Amino acid sequence: MPASSLRLDKWIAGAGLSSRSDAKKLIRAGRVTVDGSPITDPAARCDPASEIRLDGERVAWQEYLYLMMNKPAGYLSVTRDDRGPTVLDLLPPALRKRNLSPAGRLDRDSEGFLILTSDGDFCHRVISPKSGVEKEYHIEVDRPFPEGAEAAFAAGVPLEDGEICLPARLEPSEDRLSARVFLSEGKYHQVKRMALAMGTRVKRLRRAAIGGVPLDPALAPGAYRELTEAELRRINCHFVSI
Ligand code: URA
């Protein structure tokens, strides 16, 4: 048995996002074939080179999982925390066992696009400022952004602790009470601290895009889906620089 083999029920559950018990039922019902032969034992092992079919449809091997989630306010972007519910609590038990972690944090009161993945290297590259993956935030603030805030963002905003942010883009609305912010790094509470440095306070923050991939508008708060191949490619193309 190859070291990288996987139980058949785990393969089906992981790929189809069905629960492990549903996957077992499908296998026992004789609906799954491995390299052309029906297999009815959910514990049978298969390696990544096997051709697995469910009802005749090819089921791809998935070593890693990549999810796009629309994070609602009120959830922590960590895998476990005693202070309250985490984004993993929004997933069914079968997915909670897939070793998923958030690729970058959103504060408890922040909303929007969060990537959850079991691929640690991908996670690191999404977060690292060296890879230049741009994140787009939509914010509402309690006082209008002052004139000159765009230039300050472009030059690098100095934070209250003296740290200077990398050059970023601020696109305020006409009344300057809301804005789109584009950043390629993720310091602690960065957008809120940049706004404070401009004399205004963030009332609402939503991440709208990562690496040029927009949050799917069909995802209600708390909903998720797998990132498509094309979306992963688009995010991945930023990684050439590191
Ligand atoms: N910047 C913040 O201040 N908060 C977030 O949740 C994300 C970016």
Side-chain angles (χ1 to χ4, degrees), residues 7-22:
R7 272 177 65 118
L8 186 55
D9 55 354
K10 219 170 164 189
W11 184 319
I12 300 290
L17 304 184
S18 68
S19 71
R20 191 82 168 267
S21 59
D22 284 344

Side-chain angles (χ1 to χ4, degrees), residues 71 77 105-111 135 137 139 183 185-194 202 205-207:
K71 178 195 172 298
S77 306
R105 291 192 180 181
L106 284 173
D107 298 333
R108 193 201 299 239
D109 60 354
S110 299
E111 305 158 57
K135 286 92 184 178
Y137 300 91
I139 58 171
L183 304 182
E185 58 178 341
K187 299 185 197 304
Y188 184 63
H189 296 327
Q190 183 164 346
V191 174
K192 292 174 183 167
R193 291 162 72 207
M194 289 171 96
V202 170
L205 184 153
R206 197 178 136 261
R207 184 153 57 199

Side-chain angles (χ1 to χ4, degrees), residues 11 39 52 71 78 149 174 177 229:
W11 184 319
I39 300 288
I52 312 282
K71 178 195 172 298
V78 289
E174 214 170 322
L177 281 167
E229 289 283 325

Side-chain angles (χ1 to χ4, degrees), residues 156-198:
V157 172
L159 299 176
E160 77 295 343
D161 60 0
E163 218 182 338
I164 312 278
C165 298
L166 289 175
R169 218 158 75 241
L170 176 74
E171 293 180 0
S173 58
E174 214 170 322
D175 64 7
R176 304 182 75 80
L177 281 167
S178 60
R180 300 200 301 164
V181 178
F182 299 84
L183 304 182
S184 299
E185 58 178 341
K187 299 185 197 304
Y188 184 63
H189 296 327
Q190 183 164 346
V191 174
K192 292 174 183 167
R193 291 162 72 207
M194 289 171 96
L196 274 181
M198 299 291 115

Side-chain angles (χ1 to χ4, degrees), residues 62-223:
Q62 294 224 332
E63 192 179 359
Y64 295 121
L65 198 55
Y66 306 85
L67 301 181
M68 168 193 283
M69 173 182 276
N70 183 2
K71 178 195 172 298
Y75 287 81
L76 293 156
S77 306
V78 289
T79 49
R80 209 181 287 171
D81 202 301
D82 294 336
R83 289 171 303 151
T86 77
V87 289
L88 288 194
D89 293 320
L90 295 162
L91 302 177
L95 281 180
R96 266 182 250 148
K97 292 187 199 128
R98 292 291 301 269
N99 219 6
L100 292 163
S101 303
R105 291 192 180 181
L106 284 173
D107 298 333
R108 193 201 299 239
D109 60 354
S110 299
E111 305 158 57
F113 193 169
L114 190 67
I115 293 177
L116 291 161
T117 181
S118 50
D119 180 344
D121 186 49
F122 177 85
C123 190
H124 171 71
R125 284 162 177 261
V126 168
I127 298 167
S128 171
K130 288 193 199 131
S131 57
V133 176
E134 190 176 74
K135 286 92 184 178
E136 177 182 342
Y137 300 91
H138 293 181
I139 58 171
E140 291 168 22
V141 289
D142 67 351
R143 288 156 175 249
F145 273 103
E147 291 303 324
E150 293 92 319
F153 268 59
V157 172
L159 299 176
E160 77 295 343
D161 60 0
E163 218 182 338
I164 312 278
C165 298
L166 289 175
R169 218 158 75 241
L170 176 74
E171 293 180 0
S173 58
E174 214 170 322
D175 64 7
R176 304 182 75 80
L177 281 167
S178 60
R180 300 200 301 164
V181 178
F182 299 84
L183 304 182
S184 299
E185 58 178 341
K187 299 185 197 304
Y188 184 63
H189 296 327
Q190 183 164 346
V191 174
K192 292 174 183 167
R193 291 162 72 207
M194 289 171 96
L196 274 181
M198 299 291 115
T200 186
R201 191 178 292 275
V202 170
K203 293 193 302 181
R204 188 167 181 201
L205 184 153
R206 197 178 136 261
R207 184 153 57 199
I210 297 177
V213 173
L215 176 65
D216 186 339
L219 289 178

Side-chain angles (χ1 to χ4, degrees), residues 217-229:
L219 289 178
Y224 60 89
R225 67 159 169 79
E226 280 190 85
L227 282 161
T228 65
E229 289 283 325

